[in-house]
Amino acid sequence: MKRILAGTAAAGLALSLSACGASQETGASAADAEGGGTIAIITVDPSNPYWKAEVDTAEQAAADLGYESYTAAHENDPDEQNTLIETAINDDVDGILLDPAGADESIAAVQKVVDAEIPIVLINAEISETGLASSQIVSNNAQGATVGAEAWAAAMDYKGTYVELFGAPSDNNAQVRSDGYAQVLAQYPDLKKVGTEIANWDRQEGQEKMEALLAKNPDIDGVVAGNDEMALGAVNALKAKGKLDQVKVLGFDGSQDAVNAVRDGDLVATVVQPIVEGTTMAMNQLDSVIRTGETGVSEEKQALDCILVTEENADSVQNFVISE
């Protein structure tokens, strides 16, 4: 069984990189528990290529492991997330894979799942408490922002004016990436940020906010964006003004549209989040908890490094996976 339910708000995620012990018993804790049954996959927004890759990977992994699954989307709305969690509990699912709607906002929802003795693993975003979810598997957003900003600064020849497109403010990942950019770019005093706009991870909003930034700063040299969708929106706005050849744009996520834009020279670089690898890990650990009561790994929080994509390696990237 596979279905998609939609929520009602903008996308968002959260991250910190602290590691804590995680091999814990959850739900069916008996060592002889069997796998199989139904897994609820609760994500953010499958219309976004990044979360679509997460959903596609989770659904395939669930099927490969012998489970039925259904997919629901909260669109980063904690109230909708809470409704979907309660539905999954009432459905008596065997496990839940959750991409949380906020680090603090999701704690109560995860606690409900734990109280219902249903195994839960978090993917792509963490919560601000340990000891509840069996695993929390996230991308190393700070590391990804660092490598992306270094490549972009080099393309800028370490000088010029630039603007930033910021993700959803409720999403800790937006601030982590922005801080990562700032830490790198502060090393280069000839790089001057002249404007910031919130574009909520969205391509259309990114285009509109880029148009507003260009109206105030028509001669900028660069753009750093918190994700690929906003970066591609900026590219559209710059193309419409005939300015893309003079402006260097940085993305983040590694969507195929962004990788193609890097290959074509529209983006300087993007940073691939290993969402396919992370989701596969998350499903395997959820299966292990369902069957044995333990994840089989030593840490609850697990951070996976991101990979820089430039023109040199863009041809090796396909749907968030980089071939060796």
Side-chain angles (χ1 to χ4, degrees):
M1 169 176 60
K2 296 178 183 177
R3 53 191 167 94
I4 294 180
L5 309 175
T8 57
L13 306 171
L15 168 70
S16 70
L17 301 175
S18 58
C20 305
S23 233
Q24 62 190 55
E25 293 193 355
T26 310
S29 58
D32 59 353
E34 296 181 358
T38 300
I39 290 175
I41 301 164
I42 301 177
T43 189
V44 180
D45 178 12
S47 68
N48 180 298
Y50 181 77
W51 287 299
K52 184 178 188 305
E54 178 183 271
V55 167
D56 289 348
T57 302
E59 289 180 342
Q60 185 60 58
D64 291 345
L65 290 164
Y67 297 91
E68 293 184 342
S69 68
Y70 69 84
T71 297
H74 55 64
E75 297 188 0
N76 206 42
D77 180 345
D79 291 334
E80 179 66 14
Q81 175 180 251
N82 191 56
T83 297
L84 297 175
I85 287 290
E86 289 178 349
T87 298
I89 292 171
N90 290 336
D91 287 346
D92 196 24
V93 298
D94 296 274
I96 296 174
L97 182 71
L98 173 66
D99 194 331
D104 296 326
E105 297 86 345
S106 301
I107 293 172
V110 174
Q111 183 68 64
K112 286 184 179 181
V113 177
V114 174
D115 291 345
E117 298 187 340
I118 296 173
I120 182 167
V121 167
L122 309 185
I123 180 63
N124 186 62
E126 66 171 4
I127 59 173
S128 303
E129 189 167 325
T130 59
L132 296 177
S134 297
S135 296
Q136 303 190 51
I137 301 174
V138 297
S139 298
N140 190 339
N141 284 273
Q143 170 265 343
T146 296
V147 298
E150 287 286 7
W152 177 85
M156 291 282 289
D157 198 23
Y158 305 103
K159 63 181 185 292
T161 58
Y162 71 96
V163 296
E164 179 177 1
L165 291 173
F166 190 91
S170 61
D171 180 351
N172 285 1
N173 282 345
Q175 193 63 57
V176 170
R177 294 175 195 176
S178 183
D179 289 347
Y181 291 159
Q183 284 186 333
V184 171
L185 301 181
Q187 302 174 65
Y188 308 113
D190 292 331
L191 282 169
K192 307 286 188 183
K193 183 162 77 169
V194 295
T196 301
E197 288 283 354
I198 294 169
N200 292 304
W201 308 127
D202 183 72
R203 189 180 303 198
Q204 183 60 39
E205 194 166 349
Q207 181 171 340
E208 293 167 357
K209 294 301 177 69
M210 190 69 235
E211 290 167 352
L213 287 164
L214 283 172
K216 297 176 183 176
N217 308 280
D219 298 321
I220 59 167
D221 304 296
V223 180
V224 294
N227 81 336
D228 287 335
E229 289 298 288
M230 296 187 299
L232 292 168
V235 166
N236 290 341
L238 290 163
K239 282 184 175 179
K241 295 293 186 181
K243 293 179 177 290
L244 185 59
D245 289 344
Q246 292 81 46
V247 181
K248 308 294 186 184
V249 184
L250 172 67
F252 195 114
D253 273 349
S255 73
Q256 198 58 45
D257 282 353
V259 170
N260 294 343
V262 170
R263 186 179 58 234
D264 295 341
D266 290 346
L267 293 180
V268 166
T270 186
V271 180
V272 173
Q273 294 195 74
I275 188 59
V276 171
E277 176 187 359
T279 303
T280 301
M281 289 172 57
M283 288 299 298
N284 285 334
Q285 290 176 30
L286 181 57
D287 171 59
S288 180
V289 176
I290 291 169
R291 290 185 297 102
T292 73
E294 297 184 351
T295 62
V297 299
S298 61
E299 295 181 333
E300 177 183 330
K301 289 191 176 182
Q302 303 154 56
L304 305 178
D305 280 351
C306 303
I307 301 172
L308 180 70
V309 178
T310 64
E311 286 188 63
E312 285 70 28
N313 67 341
D315 286 339
S316 68
V317 183
Q318 187 66 37
N319 294 324
F320 299 95
V321 177
I322 297 183
S323 59
E324 296 296 335

